[in-house]
Amino acid sequence: MQPHIKRAFTLLAIAIIVFIVIRSLVVPDSFGQYGWYRGDSVVDNRNFPVEYAGSASCGEENCHKTLYSIWEDSRHKTVNCETCHGPSEKHVSNVRIMPQPANESRDFCGLCHFRQTARPEDFSQIDPETHGQNLRCAYCHNPHKPWFV
Amino acid sequence: MTEGLIWGYVYPNEAEVQWSILIVLYPYITGLVAGAFIASSLYHVFGKKEIKPVARFALLTALAFLLVATMPLVAHLGHPERGVQIMFTPHLTSAMSGFGYIYSFYLIVVVLEIWLSFREDIVKKALSSRGLKELLYSGLALFSYDISERALHEDEKLARRLAIIGIPSAAFLHGYVGFIFGGIKANPWWSTPLMPIIFLMSAIVSGIALLILLYIVAMKIRRHAIDHSCLYSLAQYLWVFLIFDVVLELLEVVSMKYESLEEIEIINILLSEKIATTFYGVQLTLGIFVPFVLLLLVGIMKNHDTLKTIMIAVSSTLVVIGVFAMRWNVVIGGQEISKSLSGTLTYVPVFFGMEGVLPAVVIFTIPFIILLVLTYILPPWKDMEEATE
Amino acid sequence: MNGDLTMSISRREFTRIGCRVIIGAAAGTAIIESIVKNSLASEDKKGEYDWNEHYWGFVVDTTKCIGCGRCANACKLENHVPFDEHLYRTWVERYRVLKKEEVKIDSPNGGIDGFTNDIPKEDIKKAFYVPKLCNHCDHPPCVQVCPVGATYLTEDGVVLIDYDYCIGCRYCIQGCPYGARYFLAEETPHHKPHSVLGGGVADKCTWCYHRITKGLLPACVQACPAGARIFGDLKDPDSAVNKILDKERINVLKPDLGTRPKAYYIGLDREVR
């Protein structure tokens, strides 16, 4: 082989070796641990903060026990506390941090209960134009234990 | 903000077009690279003597564009600094993961090919110049100055072998770009096995057209006569590849319309409303049919060299524009239909900003500057001009 | 690249890196690296959650959905998805088949603000809601197309994203047939502790992986007042999900694409894609 060609290929070989060295330094240790990805990323994904504590934690430790037992037997028992009161994990771990106050507007209740063609017919729905004279829903209905007027 | 641009129903997350004009530019530039390289191979591998004047110039053109091919991609990334991971941990099931390695391999082939074909000139310059210039050329010669007949013969043999490797890798480099789109089953406008070969054909077409234009411009600047046999030969190849190109592009649309699968309604809307002008008008009519007829006339006509040169120049310009429209229609068109198959959205290019028209224009001017510098360091004029002297 | 380099390197680590460089340079083979990596893996801290014991699945009962959008709302709050941008890990679609054989589909703000009655009831033949979310496919096209291995299918059947490794090429967004993925341009507090520069990455529903691995339900499932979303373990024969799968006739979205989704739908209409 001609010397100049030898030199060219030596340069190429050096470049490839440098690449391999850099690669072995830069690729994270946990890459390939479980598959073609960074194994530590699974831990990262598991460690994201929880915001919704769940209704059970509201009834615990005599905090909101009375309200909880009322809600538990009501027709609204499928509606979890935080669906109206907002995410409360921070409040559960520190009572001084208050969650957002519940939205009491007609429109908020209407998200579920205003009549919609696409809504299953057997679901409780009202016509906002004719029902309740524009009063707040909670004026007649207890959101924690709804009943019919 | 985007409400007025949406028709029908698009998935809420689709409100924004993800791959912008930069991603249109990327397959366009790699296409020019592949085309220019294949044009030079016509001489280096297939021994087409009439191409010789532009063979080395074509290699420099390929390199100039190859060097910027990564720019639009990297500029478009959400994390450009992590881009190199594509080479460190390439996920091989992804069509995109091959990019780093295919690109690097091809870059090595092109650089070696250029080095071998210019080595005689480099060594001569190194021996005849002084100072910094001497250092530059000696460095380029790798401080080895053997230009004996035997050495040059060996160089030529190796260059030929490299060119033989280069053709499939050029085809692969661009075919794979087509597969990036063709392999996406989620998108009915992209998902077709024809995509890689359509991309390849349009790449060759655009590369040859660009080479013709650059050759004519270079000769005009240098006030030198154009080698007409070379020009006509290039024009002839352009014409032949145009036929392959149009057949494949029409086959894709015709088979989509004929099979009329679930997605045909949205494809029809795309073709008749969203990209009608750029598809039927620019890509097919201006980009293929007009140059096709003009080049046919060039083939038939006798004498009238000036008129024929103008016709070839016009055809090449139209082809280069038409292929850009083709890339646009694929990349942007595919994103203007919703994967819900029941709505469309409109891409409005911004001018400034990371993904705007301005950076695209800037990126597209860089290869021409690189080419200017390359032709200054490694002048390819000798063989471009000697034929007519 | 990854912050690792800027960290102060202890002597032991330095020797280890040095050894790996030499081995890597000399052989450059993946085999040797995998040996090194496996020895590191044994040091890994394993929590109480064992992902080999679970395989998660999701059922959407479209016949029960009332279109209140509380799921999409809770999702954004739980996962800190910006409210002022058109980005949704889950959303609710409304389908209205009109009497003149036309289908109107909409999902204003993902359903978070509810829906308006803009078509008179008399013109509508039938109407229903369809909640959508990431299907966590068994053959995920998004994972297939990721060029760097920044998104993956876990052993417990969830498709996750490595926000510290994603290069932001958005190929996965193109590859997802369901529009479940979006590009997170800005940094959010959620990702902050894990991201070097923040933002510039793909994002999508994780079935609240940080919740389900702690024994909690995904936020959307917990928020749904109508029981339209059911989540559970496919490996547990008594799970809520398996009870439905054993009994009901179910379908998945775009089954012809061969993605094998694990979000199963009850009451899918032919218009739903």
Side-chain angles (χ1 to χ4, degrees):
Chain A
M1 203 190 276
Q2 303 286 324
H4 62 274
I5 293 174
K6 246 185 226 167
R7 283 180 197 180
F9 282 109
T10 314
L11 270 182
L12 190 59
I14 291 171
I16 291 170
I17 289 168
V18 167
F19 170 78
I20 292 170
V21 170
I22 295 176
R23 183 192 179 277
S24 63
L25 283 173
V26 169
V27 173
D29 282 342
S30 72
F31 201 94
Q33 193 178 348
Y34 310 115
W36 200 257
Y37 57 91
R38 205 171 54 91
D40 287 351
S41 150
V42 181
V43 183
D44 292 348
N45 267 284
R46 277 171 58 180
N47 287 344
F48 287 144
V50 167
E51 297 291 343
Y52 279 84
S55 298
S57 45
C58 306
E60 269 172 19
E61 316 217 358
N62 291 328
C63 294
H64 306 288
K65 208 166 189 175
T66 324
L67 212 47
Y68 185 87
S69 56
I70 294 173
W71 164 79
E72 215 175 11
D73 294 328
S74 78
R75 280 175 59 121
H76 259 178
K77 63 175 178 289
T78 57
V79 188
N80 275 291
C81 308
E82 290 161 298
T83 305
C84 302
H85 293 279
S88 309
E89 170 65 29
K90 289 195 181 77
H91 171 69
V92 169
S93 48
N94 180 357
V95 287
R96 290 204 187 117
I97 302 172
M98 294 304 286
Q100 293 277 313
N103 189 335
E104 291 186 336
S105 70
R106 267 172 84 87
D107 283 344
F108 185 73
C109 301
L111 284 173
C112 293
H113 294 294
F114 284 173
R115 189 164 301 285
Q116 291 275 350
T117 333
R119 219 158 250 169
E121 281 199 17
D122 54 358
F123 188 80
S124 311
Q125 298 167 65
I126 56 110
D127 182 349
E129 304 294 321
T130 56
H131 182 102
Q133 301 161 336
N134 256 333
L135 289 166
R136 274 195 307 117
C137 306
Y139 193 78
C140 302
H141 307 276
N142 178 354
H144 293 118
K145 195 176 180 65
W147 74 101
F148 292 100
V149 182
Chain B
M1 66 201 168
T2 47
E3 301 302 324
L5 304 170
I6 290 173
W7 171 86
Y9 176 66
V10 307
Y11 293 133
N13 289 329
E14 286 181 320
E16 200 182 332
V17 169
Q18 297 295 339
W19 282 358
S20 60
I21 187 164
L22 288 179
I23 304 297
V24 178
L25 201 58
Y26 156 66
Y28 187 58
I29 290 178
T30 44
L32 296 172
V33 175
F37 186 84
I38 283 169
S40 90
S41 305
L42 288 172
Y43 169 71
H44 284 116
V45 178
F46 302 107
K48 303 285 175 201
K49 286 276 184 296
E50 60 277 17
I51 308 286
K52 194 182 175 213
V54 292
R56 294 205 301 179
F57 182 63
L59 281 176
L60 294 181
T61 310
L63 180 63
F65 280 86
L66 193 58
L67 288 174
V68 292
T70 52
M71 277 184 201
L73 278 189
V74 174
H76 172 264
L77 290 181
H79 278 277
E81 83 284 1
R82 295 181 190 167
V84 72
Q85 287 166 3
I86 211 165
M87 295 199 67
F88 290 151
T89 58
H91 188 225
L92 295 179
T93 60
S94 167
M96 203 184 268
S97 70
F99 173 77
Y101 285 94
I102 298 170
Y103 174 86
S104 311
F105 179 76
Y106 189 60
L107 185 66
I108 292 167
V109 169
V110 172
V111 168
L112 274 177
E113 182 84 24
I114 290 177
W115 185 63
L116 290 170
S117 9
F118 281 92
R119 212 178 63 85
E120 191 185 351
D121 299 4
I122 294 171
V123 170
K124 280 179 183 162
K125 285 215 173 188
L127 295 176
S128 65
S129 50
R130 283 283 162 271
L132 273 180
K133 217 171 161 193
E134 186 192 2
L135 194 66
L136 171 72
Y137 286 104
S138 301
L140 285 176
L142 300 180
F143 303 101
S144 172
Y145 309 97
D146 184 3
I147 46 168
S148 63
E149 197 124 308
R150 211 180 116 250
L152 289 179
H153 182 66
E154 290 287 313
D155 281 3
E156 202 169 304
K157 255 171 52 188
L158 185 61
R160 203 175 122 86
R161 277 193 212 135
L162 277 173
I164 292 171
I165 303 171
I167 296 174
S169 48
F172 200 62
L173 176 72
H174 206 67
Y176 121 90
V177 176
F179 191 76
I180 286 182
F181 298 97
I184 293 297
K185 61 185 169 191
N187 192 317
W189 181 236
W190 289 350
S191 174
T192 157
L194 285 176
M195 200 57 96
I197 194 153
I198 291 177
F199 264 61
L200 186 57
M201 284 306 145
S202 51
I204 295 174
V205 163
S206 67
I208 297 177
L210 178 78
L211 193 60
I212 291 174
L213 286 177
L214 286 174
Y215 176 58
I216 293 174
V217 170
M219 289 299 97
K220 289 286 167 215
I221 291 172
R222 294 181 64 80
R223 298 173 189 282
H224 201 278
I226 289 163
D227 178 349
H228 284 105
S229 73
C230 172
L231 191 65
Y232 297 153
S233 178
L234 283 173
Q236 204 178 358
Y237 285 114
L238 180 58
W239 186 76
V240 171
F241 281 113
L242 267 179
I243 296 175
F244 287 122
D245 192 29
V246 71
V247 165
L248 289 165
E249 280 176 19
L250 287 179
L251 182 60
E252 186 203 354
V253 177
V254 169
S255 65
M256 259 184 202
K257 291 211 176 202
Y258 191 81
E259 289 185 358
S260 286
L261 296 172
E262 189 186 16
E263 61 266 20
I264 191 62
E265 285 172 35
I266 200 75
I267 298 283
N268 280 337
I269 292 170
L270 176 73
L271 285 173
S272 62
E273 288 172 24
K274 308 300 290 185
I275 57 169
T277 332
T278 48
F279 186 76
Y280 295 114
V282 185
Q283 181 183 340
L284 291 181
T285 310
L286 285 179
I288 293 178
F289 289 113
V290 174
F292 178 83
V293 173
L294 284 177
L295 292 172
L296 190 65
L297 290 175
V298 168
I300 295 167
M301 271 165 36
K302 295 205 172 95
N303 306 322
H304 301 297
D305 277 343
T306 318
L307 179 64
K308 274 154 78 177
T309 306
I310 292 169
M311 281 162 75
I312 292 173
V314 170
S315 308
S316 302
T317 312
L318 288 176
V319 166
V320 167
I321 295 168
V323 172
F324 184 80
M326 181 265 175
R327 307 290 188 237
W328 176 278
N329 291 333
V330 172
V331 177
I332 302 297
Q335 296 178 86
E336 287 194 328
I337 53 172
S338 166
K339 285 181 263 189
S340 69
L341 306 184
S342 16
T344 60
L345 57 158
T346 304
Y347 170 61
V348 183
V350 290
F351 191 75
F352 299 101
M354 268 301 268
E355 295 187 24
V357 178
L358 185 66
V361 172
V362 169
I363 287 174
F364 195 67
T365 51
I366 295 173
F368 294 99
I369 297 166
I370 295 178
L371 185 60
L372 207 63
V373 175
L374 282 178
T375 52
Y376 181 73
I377 301 172
L378 303 170
W381 314 121
K382 194 184 73 190
D383 36 44
M384 286 175 90
E385 293 169 356
E386 71 187 0
T388 45
E389 262 160 17
Chain C
M1 292 301 104
N2 229 293
D4 299 24
L5 284 176
T6 55
M7 279 184 342
S8 61
I9 300 173
S10 74
R11 219 168 117 180
R12 193 171 132 261
E13 224 166 7
F14 187 78
T15 336
R16 203 196 69 219
I17 291 170
C19 287
R20 283 183 59 202
V21 167
I22 293 160
I23 294 168
T29 56
I31 306 154
I32 289 166
E33 281 203 13
S34 73
I35 294 166
V36 178
K37 267 166 192 165
N38 282 341
S39 67
L40 287 170
S42 58
E43 298 165 19
D44 184 47
K45 53 273 166 190
K46 258 205 178 136
E48 56 285 4
Y49 175 80
D50 183 2
W51 67 1
N52 290 310
E53 288 170 8
H54 305 277
Y55 206 75
W56 301 108
F58 204 108
V59 172
V60 179
D61 188 345
T62 61
T63 61
K64 285 187 182 157
C65 180
I66 58 168
C68 64
R70 295 308 84 208
C71 46
N73 185 64
C75 174
K76 283 211 174 194
L77 287 168
E78 174 72 31
N79 296 297
H80 301 269
V81 181
F83 269 87
D84 51 357
E85 285 178 67
H86 280 273
L87 312 173
Y88 306 89
R89 290 183 170 211
T90 183
W91 66 96
V92 183
E93 295 173 352
R94 174 171 64 175
Y95 288 74
R96 287 176 293 182
V97 184
L98 306 188
K99 285 186 176 146
K100 48 176 186 175
E101 290 305 319
E102 194 189 333
V103 187
K104 286 273 182 204
I105 313 167
D106 61 352
S107 181
N109 194 20
I112 290 175
D113 308 328
F115 295 82
T116 48
N117 284 315
D118 50 353
I119 299 175
K121 196 178 190 308
E122 306 80 66
D123 296 347
I124 298 172
K125 200 194 291 181
K126 62 173 174 182
F128 50 89
Y129 298 105
V130 180
K132 293 273 186 82
L133 71 164
C134 173
N135 289 288
H136 294 271
C137 308
D138 267 346
H139 299 308
C142 53
V143 172
Q144 183 188 32
V145 301
C146 176
V148 295
T151 183
Y152 49 92
L153 181 63
T154 59
E155 298 293 318
D156 43 359
V158 180
V159 177
L160 295 177
I161 296 168
D162 183 344
Y163 303 100
D164 287 348
Y165 211 68
C166 175
I167 61 174
C169 72
R170 297 166 237 187
Y171 199 16
C172 56
I173 303 176
Q174 306 289 2
C176 174
Y178 306 103
R181 284 177 172 253
Y182 54 84
F183 187 65
L184 193 66
E186 303 290 325
E187 183 177 30
T188 71
H190 190 45
H191 300 123
K192 209 166 193 169
H194 307 284
S195 198
V196 181
L197 288 174
V201 292
D203 194 19
K204 70 165 191 72
C205 160
T206 61
W207 278 353
C208 285
Y209 198 66
H210 59 295
R211 296 177 61 88
I212 60 175
T213 51
K214 295 182 183 86
L216 300 165
L217 283 172
C220 60
V221 176
Q222 191 183 294
C224 178
R229 290 170 176 255
I230 301 105
F231 182 78
D233 191 346
L234 296 170
K235 276 192 179 169
D236 172 8
D238 298 324
S239 71
V241 168
N242 268 330
K243 275 186 187 145
I244 293 168
L245 296 187
D246 290 348
K247 179 174 89 209
E248 298 284 341
R249 295 167 201 197
I250 49 125
N251 204 349
V252 293
L253 296 169
K254 301 188 182 180
D256 52 313
L257 292 181
T259 52
R260 305 199 66 80
K262 290 196 294 293
Y264 307 97
Y265 281 80
I266 299 173
L268 264 196
D269 191 80
R270 62 173 174 166
E271 304 294 349
V272 181
R273 291 198 190 93

